[in-house]
Amino acid sequence: CDCYIGLPSGEGFGYGFAEAMAHGKPLIYINYGGHVEYCSRAGLGVSVGSYTYARGAYIKWALADTDDAARAMVRMVSDKNMRGGFEKAAVQIASEKLDWDRNCEQIIEQVCEGYGKIKDTSLMGVPLRRIL
């Protein structure tokens, strides 16, 4: 694919976005959900057109503005330089922010800090990496 387009109504992390970025693909994404935090430099955001709620639960979903999505698609196709910049940013963000080995070490540091700054990276004899 040349570009990853994802307009989920309430995505948490957004594995599809992360995978596309690792492959150097620019993104078109809805400006709603957890993925916005790491997608913003790697593509074009699409505005929210309206909201809806899950039946029987307070879960708020966003529906993308389809006209804005179409404009983003046209812009992505027509501007090769912009697309190239997003491709480079996607790879950089994926390697810096979405690398599991790096993130796992940060999680272990946070857990150890919470347990009184212990040096041992095990909990009751089980390595934290296996627990997490």
Side-chain angles (χ1 to χ4, degrees), residues 55-71:
R55 195 176 297 166
Y58 185 72
I59 301 171
K60 185 178 181 180
W61 290 318
L63 302 175
D65 179 324
T66 54
D67 291 335
D68 195 30
R71 284 189 294 273

Side-chain angles (χ1 to χ4, degrees), residues 12-64:
F13 178 76
Y15 289 112
F17 296 110
E19 184 176 352
M21 291 171 69
H23 290 282
K25 302 301 178 189
L27 311 171
I28 296 176
Y29 59 92
I30 188 170
N31 282 322
Y32 185 80
H35 61 274
V36 176
E37 184 176 333
Y38 66 87
C39 290
S40 61
R41 290 184 18 238
L44 299 174
V46 172
S47 61
V48 173
S50 63
Y51 295 95
T52 188
Y53 296 88
R55 195 176 297 166
Y58 185 72
I59 301 171
K60 185 178 181 180
W61 290 318
L63 302 175

Side-chain angles (χ1 to χ4, degrees), residues 13 15 18-19 22 91-109 111 127-132:
F13 178 76
Y15 289 112
E19 184 176 352
V91 170
Q92 180 184 6
I93 294 165
S95 65
E96 291 176 2
K97 305 287 185 192
L98 305 176
D99 177 75
W100 177 245
D101 288 332
R102 179 177 287 168
N103 290 342
C104 186
E105 291 305 319
Q106 291 174 352
I107 291 169
I108 289 171
E109 287 173 18
V111 171
L128 285 176
R129 183 178 296 266
R130 183 168 205 143
I131 294 170
L132 298 173

